[in-house]
Amino acid sequence: MFKNLRLRLTIWFVCLSAVAHITTTILTGVLFHNQLTAAIDSELAELVAEHLQNIDYTDGHLSLPTATRSFSAKPIKLLASIQLFDANGNFVQETGAPGVTTMYPRATEVPLHGHDLRSLSRRILDHGQLLGYLQVQLPTDARERAESDRLLMLVITFPVLIALLFICGYYFTAVAIKPIEETFSILREFMINAGHELNTPLSIAQAALDNLDRKGAKQADVLKKVSVIKLSLTRMRNLVDDMLLLAKLESDKATTRTFKVLPFHDLVRETLEHIHPLLEEHGIELSIESTDNVFVRGNMFQLQQMLTNLLQNAITYNKQGGTIKVSLKSTDQNAQLTIADTGLGISEQDLQRIFDKFFRAESSRSKASGGSGLGLAIVKNVVEAHRGSIKVDSELNIGTTVVVSLPAVAQPANTHTIPTNS
Ligand SMILES: Nc1ncnc2c1ncn2[C@@H]1O[C@H](COP(=O)(O)OP(=O)(O)O)[C@@H](O)[C@H]1O
Ligand SMILES: [Mg+2]
């Protein structure tokens, strides 16, 4: 698909470049022609000025000295035809090379034996009285030769130029479409992973439903299957919610318009209260080391999501009877939140990938946790959207410490209080 696109883009590039090249060639050709013509005209004007001085006027007759050729300094002037006409435009005399002995009042080009002659005339005046005309003609062969040489060179170099444009275009389109290709492969991978993640709860729910369909199922069995279906639906719901949130975060990353100054300490306390039942369920002890009053500018829902995900991980991947220590400090210009658990830990290898979408460490606990593998990807996006940073230190079987730093802001005059959902 991309190979085809690359070829199409290259062909477009070559065609447009060729059109641009041909247009500029035509325009510069016109300029070149005009310049060469102007050069001939200036030669003609010089010749006219030179010969005007040599005209003899006796007894009402105009004449030119016949030895005109010998005075010429430039070789081109040897090819000039010098012509005299009377006041009525009738031909009188011609010296130099043969020309077209017709009077042309304006500068023009006239054909002679398959060649063109450029012709220029001037009035011959004596005290304001018109005596006649002096006309000079020069062949335009040199101009035509220069033009056809230029054209020949352009025609010869054109295929070379097209070949070079094609090679360069083919190379640069590869560079240009690389990010598109990467985005496509990320999207494809995301879809495969999402499909895979949805497939598991779907299969479980399907199997449970098939079982329910059978005749003679006991009431207790039915209830069991219904709870399995409910759990599968919850998993799917969580996965879809996470996917939608992540998509929204990724597209709104630069949107800080909705951000408000929030008491981060209140948000942390709120979330700790919410996850309390989960702590009891897992038999984990939580200690709060410090909660400095610190304000951040941000989106309340996103920050709550970030805190929930981090705390859920600290609980889910902890050991029975393990502990979690939470501290919130106001350091220089930052709100620094530390969540340290005494859980399974993460291997050095996995540590590089924990923020990847759908990544879960190989431990059976991670697979069975019911998580989507999107939690930390969401956390990372939230932190980045808030111009903060996140650091994870971990040691297998010892525990994990996550440190989130967000830029702190001054306490506003009328501080918001966080509404409680419960
Ligand atoms: N506190 C932690 N202790 C040990 N492993 C963790 C911790 N936090 C995250 N992980 C590992 O990182 C993986 C990705 O985490 P996350 O993105 O939240 O996805 P999940 O939905 O699996 O929780 C987890 O599956 C787990 O293997
Ligand atoms: Mg998680």
Side-chain angles (χ1 to χ4, degrees), residues 242 309-310 313-318 341 343-346 350 354-356 359-363 366-367 369-377 394 399-400 402:
D242 279 355
N309 285 354
L310 288 175
N313 280 354
I315 297 166
T316 316
Y317 306 116
N318 217 320
D341 66 60
L344 304 172
I346 307 160
D350 289 342
I354 51 169
F355 293 108
D356 290 357
F359 174 79
R360 281 176 300 185
E362 261 320 304
S363 70
S366 297
K367 297 280 178 212
S369 70
S372 60
L374 293 175
L376 285 180
S394 190
T400 305
V402 181

Side-chain angles (χ1 to χ4, degrees), residues 128-375:
Q129 188 200 341
L130 179 68
L131 303 180
Y133 298 91
L134 176 71
Q135 182 165 271
V136 185
Q137 292 175 342
L138 271 175
T140 58
D141 293 13
R143 183 190 69 189
E144 259 91 75
R145 250 194 327 274
E147 282 181 329
S148 66
D149 284 355
R150 176 178 175 271
L151 198 68
L152 186 71
M153 199 189 72
L154 288 169
V155 168
I156 292 170
T157 54
F158 191 70
V160 180
L161 180 84
I162 295 293
L164 276 175
L165 279 173
F166 191 87
I167 295 166
C168 294
Y170 203 62
Y171 172 74
F172 284 115
T173 43
V175 176
I177 63 173
K178 203 165 182 232
I180 307 173
E181 246 177 314
E182 278 169 6
T183 312
F184 251 78
S185 88
I186 290 171
L187 200 68
R188 202 178 301 128
E189 204 182 317
F190 185 87
M191 274 155 67
I192 292 169
N193 280 326
H196 191 75
E197 289 296 329
L198 281 168
N199 205 23
T200 315
L202 258 177
S203 307
I204 295 170
Q206 176 105 50
L209 269 173
D210 287 348
N211 259 316
L212 276 181
D213 253 5
R214 275 199 227 130
K215 276 186 188 152
K218 288 189 192 122
Q219 178 72 10
D221 239 18
V222 170
L223 287 177
K224 216 167 123 191
K225 296 294 176 225
V226 167
S227 85
V228 168
I229 294 168
K230 265 191 182 165
L231 202 72
S232 298
L233 286 176
T234 312
R235 260 187 94 167
M236 285 193 272
R237 173 85 269 149
N238 290 343
L239 180 62
V240 171
D241 282 350
D242 279 355
M243 274 165 42
L244 289 175
L245 177 64
L246 197 59
K248 194 168 165 2
L249 280 170
E250 286 186 344
S251 60
D252 288 359
K253 215 174 229 180
T255 313
T256 51
R257 268 178 288 123
T258 54
F259 282 12
K260 288 191 179 99
V261 174
L262 301 165
F264 194 48
H265 46 276
D266 280 349
L267 272 177
V268 173
R269 273 191 218 119
E270 273 291 315
T271 319
L272 287 174
E273 265 174 44
H274 273 123
I275 56 126
H276 203 75
L278 206 63
L279 283 169
E280 282 177 358
E281 193 185 310
H282 286 75
I284 288 157
E285 210 165 293
L286 181 116
S287 61
I288 302 166
E289 305 225 305
S290 57
T291 43
D292 290 356
N293 278 7
V294 56
F295 291 79
V296 297
R297 181 181 291 280
N299 176 301
M300 191 170 72
F301 172 72
Q302 290 179 13
L303 291 173
Q304 272 170 339
Q305 203 68 35
M306 174 192 87
L307 293 167
T308 309
N309 285 354
L310 288 175
L311 286 164
Q312 259 175 3
N313 280 354
I315 297 166
T316 316
Y317 306 116
N318 217 320
K319 292 172 188 157
Q320 187 69 33
T323 61
I324 299 173
K325 283 182 188 158
V326 176
S327 87
L328 175 63
K329 286 190 179 135
S330 170
T331 62
D332 37 37
Q333 295 175 1
N334 274 327
Q336 195 179 69
L337 173 78
T338 309
I339 301 171
D341 66 60
T342 56
L344 304 172
I346 307 160
S347 71
E348 228 178 285
Q349 228 180 336
D350 289 342
L351 210 51
Q352 324 281 329
R353 303 184 52 199
I354 51 169
F355 293 108
D356 290 357
K357 290 171 199 126
F358 297 110
F359 174 79
R360 281 176 300 185
E362 261 320 304
S363 70
S364 53
R365 268 296 267 290
S366 297
K367 297 280 178 212
S369 70
S372 60
L374 293 175

